Amino acid sequence: MFGDVPGFLRTILEGASTTLAVTAGGIVFATVMSFVAGLAMLAPARSVRAVSRIYVEVWRGTSEIVQLFWIFLALPILVGIQLVPLWAGILVIGLNGGAYGAEIVRGAVQAVPRAQREGAVALNLSPFDRMRRVVLPQALVDMVPPFNNLFIQLLKGSALVSLVFLQDLTFQAQAVVLPTNTDQALTILTLLLLVYLALSIVITAAMRFLERWAAALVGRQPSTRSREVALSGGAA
Amino acid sequence: MNDKWSWDYVAEILPDLLRGLLVTVQATALGAILAYALGLVLALLRRSQIPVLSQLTWAFIEVIRSTPLLVHIYFVFNVLPQFGITLSPLTSGVLAIGVHYACYTAEVYRAGIDGVPRGQWEACTALSLPRGRVWTAVILPQAIPRVLPALGNYTISMYKEVPLMFAIGVLDIVGRAQEAASESFRAVEPYTIAGLFFLALSYPAGVLVRRLERRVGYAQ
């Protein structure tokens, strides 16, 4: 009744390296973009703020799947550069995630109490040291839970690359295993869901560790809530 | 630039893309209604003290939130026919996105319900209101207004994720854009216009939600 579970699982897992590469690459790239754009939104120069605001609004306002097709199909025509599919996937996942992450960074930095900043000024720290030694270490603790949600969002978004024929987990299940075993759809797709579930549990465990570490650095206890659901900024 | 962007071609594909936009908006609206309603049911089940059921609801919410919507769409589309239920691609897609987002709205409702002050519950007990009246007359009327902005945000997210349904053959904006691009071998115009459609609706919607957020904030 359940079909050839080990065989199905083996074929699906052949896509694991692609999913891991796109997710891990996307996480690294999105984190970098989040900090660059998030801090740029707080920059004194108006033009810098405007540029990062435009980046955030455009990448959050358009659909991720449209961005993917645009980078894959339209960009090569416009610029004449054909990116390696894997890198194009990482680029889209990273730029999209960065636009959401920028708001996390901006929000967390702004939430650091004013007195901390004033104290740093009183100690005659340079603006750079104020950010690096006083504001960011405290903001970092608040950033970890929302970044956890974002990274799971990126993992889920990585399934989109199957639509441009990158052979990730979803592609393996949907385009390789399923067509020859249509009567086993329940087993195959349940296995696929379990693999994604396992990956997201790994991400959450890593982020819990990171949160405890970041909290210990500034002498705080980490929050006990596992997943923050902000009533306002729910859109992911 | 001219050989890369043709306005004539844009005019030619625009009617089809607008038809696709209509499908996207329709699917978003239907999916959102499902997500609002089912989300509330899930939130109440999770809060309920019914032993196995509330844990199962929790597990369901966590699994759905941790796995890709695209896989859920494939799941509904491929697994239901195994049990003799054959749905159109659009219906399958709406069902998948509705259930997927219900797991997010369930958490929103939960946070909203938890935000109702304890005193309100105690007053209900003091007045010995029946359980049903407690929810419909006291708790939900206070919880729902403050969750509206978050529901709005999720509706915008849904709008941007509906195009995933093109993977099972729904002709929404992205489906139409792909059709146009493969017929003419011109990809720049259809996908750029599709992106602009998304921006044109989701950006103003986001501004409205932010305004609603401020108003609800004052009301409290």
Side-chain angles (χ1 to χ4, degrees):
Chain A
M1 171 186 183
F2 292 114
D4 175 19
V5 172
F8 292 158
L9 195 58
R10 210 173 308 128
T11 316
I12 290 173
L13 286 177
E14 278 168 28
S17 60
T18 302
T19 293
L20 287 177
V22 172
T23 308
I27 284 176
V28 171
F29 191 35
T31 307
V32 173
M33 287 308 295
S34 302
F35 277 91
V36 171
L39 294 178
M41 277 198 284
L42 298 166
R46 203 192 181 136
S47 55
V48 176
R49 286 203 307 267
V51 168
S52 71
R53 182 43 73 187
I54 289 171
Y55 156 67
V56 168
E57 293 302 342
V58 167
W59 280 82
R60 293 204 321 170
T62 52
S63 178
E64 190 170 18
I65 184 158
V66 175
Q67 294 157 7
L68 187 69
F69 283 132
W70 204 89
I71 297 275
F72 260 85
L73 302 168
L75 192 67
I77 299 175
L78 286 176
V79 196
I81 306 169
Q82 180 76 60
L83 291 168
V84 181
L86 185 67
W87 287 104
I90 292 175
L91 186 71
V92 172
I93 305 280
L95 282 174
N96 187 283
Y100 287 97
E103 293 285 9
I104 298 176
V105 172
R106 183 185 61 84
V109 167
Q110 279 182 328
V112 172
R114 238 185 109 78
Q116 292 289 331
R117 220 174 292 247
E118 289 164 354
V121 173
L123 288 171
N124 204 18
L125 292 181
S126 68
F128 179 78
D129 277 345
R130 243 180 277 159
M131 189 54 91
R132 190 173 76 95
R133 295 194 180 278
V134 179
V135 179
L136 266 187
Q138 299 182 62
L140 217 52
V141 187
D142 295 331
M143 284 180 209
V144 178
F147 264 114
N148 183 14
N149 283 345
L150 181 67
F151 291 166
I152 287 172
Q153 216 65 41
L154 294 188
L155 167 69
K156 291 159 60 178
S158 78
L160 296 197
V161 300
S162 67
L163 297 174
V164 289
F165 306 111
L166 273 171
Q167 287 151 15
D168 73 332
L169 294 167
T170 304
F171 183 93
Q172 288 292 318
Q174 155 71 16
V176 180
V177 189
L178 200 58
T180 51
N181 300 286
T182 40
D183 54 332
Q184 296 294 331
L186 178 62
T187 311
I188 296 165
L189 291 171
T190 305
L191 284 174
L192 180 61
L193 288 177
L194 290 177
V195 175
Y196 275 110
L197 183 64
L199 288 177
S200 72
I201 288 173
V202 171
I203 292 179
T204 301
M207 294 301 279
R208 287 265 174 80
F209 176 77
L210 197 66
E211 189 186 3
R212 233 169 297 147
W213 178 73
L217 277 188
V218 292
R220 265 204 256 166
Q221 294 288 316
S223 69
T224 46
R225 276 168 296 180
S226 58
R227 274 195 185 167
E228 300 256 320
V229 181
L231 264 179
S232 50
Chain B
M1 186 72 191
N2 264 346
D3 58 324
K4 287 170 181 165
W5 184 274
S6 146
W7 285 108
D8 289 342
Y9 178 51
V10 170
E12 194 188 311
I13 59 172
L14 205 54
D16 270 346
L17 289 179
L18 282 171
R19 226 164 290 155
L21 177 65
L22 197 65
V23 172
T24 307
V25 171
Q26 238 170 2
T28 309
L30 293 172
I33 292 170
L34 181 58
Y36 300 158
L38 185 62
L40 185 57
V41 173
L42 289 175
L44 293 179
L45 279 180
R46 215 197 129 171
R47 280 187 66 94
S48 73
Q49 312 281 313
I50 309 166
V52 180
L53 198 59
S54 74
Q55 282 87 340
L56 274 182
T57 311
W58 171 80
F60 180 76
I61 292 175
E62 287 299 311
V63 170
I64 297 288
R65 281 163 55 97
S66 308
T67 48
L69 173 60
L70 182 60
V71 179
H72 302 152
I73 291 176
Y74 286 140
F75 197 96
V76 171
F77 190 62
N78 291 300
V79 173
L80 288 188
Q82 258 189 292
F83 298 93
I85 309 165
T86 309
L87 302 172
S88 74
L90 184 64
T91 317
S92 310
V94 167
L95 190 61
I97 204 168
V99 172
H100 185 90
Y101 274 91
C103 293
Y104 286 90
T105 55
E107 293 291 290
V108 170
Y109 284 120
R110 190 171 66 96
I113 292 168
D114 287 348
V116 176
R118 271 181 68 94
Q120 299 287 323
W121 291 96
E122 290 162 356
C124 289
T125 311
L127 292 169
S128 68
L129 281 183
R131 195 120 189 93
R133 288 270 293 160
V134 173
W135 282 104
T136 55
V138 180
I139 303 303
L140 290 182
Q142 295 182 76
I144 302 248
R146 64 178 90 192
V147 302
L148 286 180
L151 292 185
N153 275 332
Y154 279 122
T155 312
I156 299 172
S157 301
M158 288 176 84
Y159 172 59
K160 289 180 285 184
E161 289 213 276
V162 162
L164 288 180
M165 292 180 199
F166 107 96
I168 53 169
V170 175
L171 281 179
D172 76 315
I173 307 181
V174 173
R176 291 284 183 182
Q178 220 209 10
E179 213 180 41
S182 58
E183 271 170 25
S184 61
F185 300 106
R186 298 187 65 100
V188 179
E189 293 92 340
Y191 290 117
T192 308
I193 301 287
L196 290 176
F197 275 165
F198 279 102
L199 199 57
L201 274 182
S202 69
Y203 183 71
V207 173
L208 281 179
V209 168
R210 251 167 283 168
R211 197 171 292 178
L212 181 68
E213 221 159 65
R214 237 167 296 146
R215 180 173 295 192
V216 173
Y218 282 132
Q220 278 167 21

Short mmCIF file of all heavy atoms in Angstrom, two decimals, chain A residues 1-6 8 181-191, chain B residues 75 79 82-83:
data_model
loop_
_atom_site.label_atom_id
_atom_site.label_comp_id
_atom_site.label_asym_id
_atom_site.label_seq_id
_atom_site.Cartn_x
_atom_site.Cartn_y
_atom_site.Cartn_z
N MET A 1 0.82 -1.20 0.00
CA MET A 1 0.00 0.00 0.00
C MET A 1 0.87 1.27 0.00
O MET A 1 0.56 2.25 -0.65
CB MET A 1 -0.89 -0.03 1.24
CG MET A 1 -1.60 1.29 1.41
SD MET A 1 -2.54 1.48 2.89
CE MET A 1 -3.22 3.10 2.58
N PHE A 2 1.96 1.24 0.73
CA PHE A 2 2.77 2.44 0.80
C PHE A 2 3.79 2.54 -0.33
O PHE A 2 4.48 3.53 -0.45
CB PHE A 2 3.49 2.53 2.15
CG PHE A 2 2.55 2.74 3.28
CD1 PHE A 2 2.36 1.77 4.25
CD2 PHE A 2 1.81 3.91 3.36
CE1 PHE A 2 1.46 1.97 5.29
CE2 PHE A 2 0.91 4.13 4.40
CZ PHE A 2 0.73 3.14 5.36
N GLY A 3 3.92 1.52 -1.13
CA GLY A 3 4.85 1.58 -2.23
C GLY A 3 6.28 1.40 -1.75
O GLY A 3 6.54 1.02 -0.61
N ASP A 4 7.20 1.74 -2.62
CA ASP A 4 8.62 1.52 -2.37
C ASP A 4 9.20 2.72 -1.62
O ASP A 4 9.87 3.57 -2.20
CB ASP A 4 9.31 1.31 -3.72
CG ASP A 4 10.81 1.18 -3.58
OD1 ASP A 4 11.29 0.91 -2.46
OD2 ASP A 4 11.50 1.38 -4.60
N VAL A 5 8.92 2.79 -0.30
CA VAL A 5 9.31 3.98 0.46
C VAL A 5 10.82 4.25 0.40
O VAL A 5 11.23 5.37 0.09
CB VAL A 5 8.82 3.88 1.93
CG1 VAL A 5 9.39 5.02 2.75
CG2 VAL A 5 7.30 3.92 1.97
N PRO A 6 11.69 3.26 0.67
CA PRO A 6 13.13 3.56 0.62
C PRO A 6 13.56 4.04 -0.76
O PRO A 6 14.37 4.98 -0.87
CB PRO A 6 13.79 2.21 0.94
CG PRO A 6 12.73 1.40 1.60
CD PRO A 6 11.43 1.85 1.05
N PHE A 8 11.69 5.60 -3.07
CA PHE A 8 11.19 6.97 -3.26
C PHE A 8 12.09 7.96 -2.53
O PHE A 8 12.52 8.97 -3.08
CB PHE A 8 9.76 7.11 -2.70
CG PHE A 8 8.71 6.35 -3.46
CD1 PHE A 8 7.52 6.00 -2.85
CD2 PHE A 8 8.91 5.99 -4.79
CE1 PHE A 8 6.54 5.31 -3.55
CE2 PHE A 8 7.93 5.30 -5.50
CZ PHE A 8 6.75 4.95 -4.88
N ASN A 181 4.67 7.04 -10.75
CA ASN A 181 3.99 6.41 -9.61
C ASN A 181 2.78 7.23 -9.17
O ASN A 181 2.61 7.53 -7.99
CB ASN A 181 4.95 6.28 -8.42
CG ASN A 181 6.15 5.44 -8.73
OD1 ASN A 181 6.07 4.23 -8.83
ND2 ASN A 181 7.28 6.10 -8.95
N THR A 182 1.93 7.61 -10.12
CA THR A 182 0.85 8.54 -9.77
C THR A 182 -0.07 7.98 -8.70
O THR A 182 -0.66 8.73 -7.94
CB THR A 182 0.00 8.90 -11.01
OG1 THR A 182 -0.18 7.72 -11.79
CG2 THR A 182 0.66 9.97 -11.83
N ASP A 183 -0.18 6.66 -8.61
CA ASP A 183 -1.08 6.08 -7.60
C ASP A 183 -0.45 6.11 -6.21
O ASP A 183 -1.08 5.74 -5.23
CB ASP A 183 -1.46 4.65 -7.99
CG ASP A 183 -0.23 3.79 -8.24
OD1 ASP A 183 0.81 4.36 -8.63
OD2 ASP A 183 -0.29 2.56 -8.04
N GLN A 184 0.82 6.53 -6.12
CA GLN A 184 1.50 6.61 -4.83
C GLN A 184 1.70 8.07 -4.38
O GLN A 184 2.58 8.36 -3.56
CB GLN A 184 2.86 5.93 -4.89
CG GLN A 184 2.79 4.44 -5.17
CD GLN A 184 2.14 3.69 -4.04
OE1 GLN A 184 2.22 4.10 -2.89
NE2 GLN A 184 1.46 2.61 -4.35
N ALA A 185 0.88 8.96 -4.95
CA ALA A 185 1.09 10.40 -4.68
C ALA A 185 1.13 10.70 -3.19
O ALA A 185 1.97 11.48 -2.72
CB ALA A 185 0.00 11.22 -5.37
N LEU A 186 0.23 10.08 -2.42
CA LEU A 186 0.16 10.37 -0.98
C LEU A 186 1.48 10.05 -0.29
O LEU A 186 2.03 10.87 0.46
CB LEU A 186 -0.99 9.57 -0.35
CG LEU A 186 -1.14 9.74 1.16
CD1 LEU A 186 -1.45 11.18 1.53
CD2 LEU A 186 -2.23 8.82 1.71
N THR A 187 2.02 8.85 -0.58
CA THR A 187 3.28 8.45 0.05
C THR A 187 4.42 9.38 -0.35
O THR A 187 5.18 9.86 0.50
CB THR A 187 3.64 7.01 -0.36
OG1 THR A 187 2.51 6.18 -0.19
CG2 THR A 187 4.81 6.49 0.43
N ILE A 188 4.53 9.63 -1.65
CA ILE A 188 5.66 10.42 -2.16
C ILE A 188 5.65 11.83 -1.59
O ILE A 188 6.66 12.33 -1.07
CB ILE A 188 5.61 10.46 -3.70
CG1 ILE A 188 5.79 9.05 -4.27
CG2 ILE A 188 6.66 11.40 -4.24
CD1 ILE A 188 5.39 8.93 -5.72
N LEU A 189 4.47 12.49 -1.66
CA LEU A 189 4.42 13.88 -1.23
C LEU A 189 4.51 13.99 0.30
O LEU A 189 5.02 14.98 0.81
CB LEU A 189 3.18 14.56 -1.78
CG LEU A 189 3.26 14.74 -3.31
CD1 LEU A 189 1.95 15.22 -3.89
CD2 LEU A 189 4.37 15.72 -3.69
N THR A 190 4.02 12.97 1.02
CA THR A 190 4.19 12.99 2.48
C THR A 190 5.67 12.88 2.84
O THR A 190 6.16 13.59 3.73
CB THR A 190 3.39 11.85 3.14
OG1 THR A 190 2.03 11.95 2.73
CG2 THR A 190 3.46 11.94 4.65
N LEU A 191 6.39 11.99 2.13
CA LEU A 191 7.84 11.89 2.37
C LEU A 191 8.51 13.24 2.14
O LEU A 191 9.35 13.69 2.94
CB LEU A 191 8.46 10.84 1.44
CG LEU A 191 8.23 9.38 1.79
CD1 LEU A 191 8.77 8.48 0.70
CD2 LEU A 191 8.91 9.06 3.12
N PHE B 75 0.31 18.56 -3.51
CA PHE B 75 -0.33 17.56 -2.65
C PHE B 75 -1.83 17.51 -2.92
O PHE B 75 -2.38 16.46 -3.24
CB PHE B 75 -0.05 17.92 -1.18
CG PHE B 75 -0.30 16.78 -0.23
CD1 PHE B 75 0.75 15.98 0.18
CD2 PHE B 75 -1.57 16.52 0.25
CE1 PHE B 75 0.54 14.93 1.06
CE2 PHE B 75 -1.79 15.47 1.13
CZ PHE B 75 -0.73 14.68 1.53
N VAL B 79 -3.01 14.19 -4.68
CA VAL B 79 -3.40 13.17 -3.71
C VAL B 79 -4.92 13.00 -3.65
O VAL B 79 -5.42 11.88 -3.57
CB VAL B 79 -2.83 13.50 -2.31
CG1 VAL B 79 -3.39 12.55 -1.27
CG2 VAL B 79 -1.31 13.41 -2.35
N GLN B 82 -6.60 10.45 -5.78
CA GLN B 82 -6.40 9.08 -5.30
C GLN B 82 -7.59 8.60 -4.49
O GLN B 82 -7.87 7.41 -4.42
CB GLN B 82 -5.16 9.03 -4.39
CG GLN B 82 -3.93 8.47 -5.06
CD GLN B 82 -2.85 8.25 -4.03
OE1 GLN B 82 -2.32 9.19 -3.48
NE2 GLN B 82 -2.52 6.99 -3.77
N PHE B 83 -8.27 9.56 -3.83
CA PHE B 83 -9.41 9.21 -2.99
C PHE B 83 -10.72 9.54 -3.70
O PHE B 83 -11.75 9.72 -3.08
CB PHE B 83 -9.32 9.94 -1.65
CG PHE B 83 -8.11 9.56 -0.87
CD1 PHE B 83 -6.94 10.30 -0.97
CD2 PHE B 83 -8.12 8.43 -0.05
CE1 PHE B 83 -5.81 9.94 -0.27
CE2 PHE B 83 -6.99 8.08 0.65
CZ PHE B 83 -5.83 8.82 0.53
#
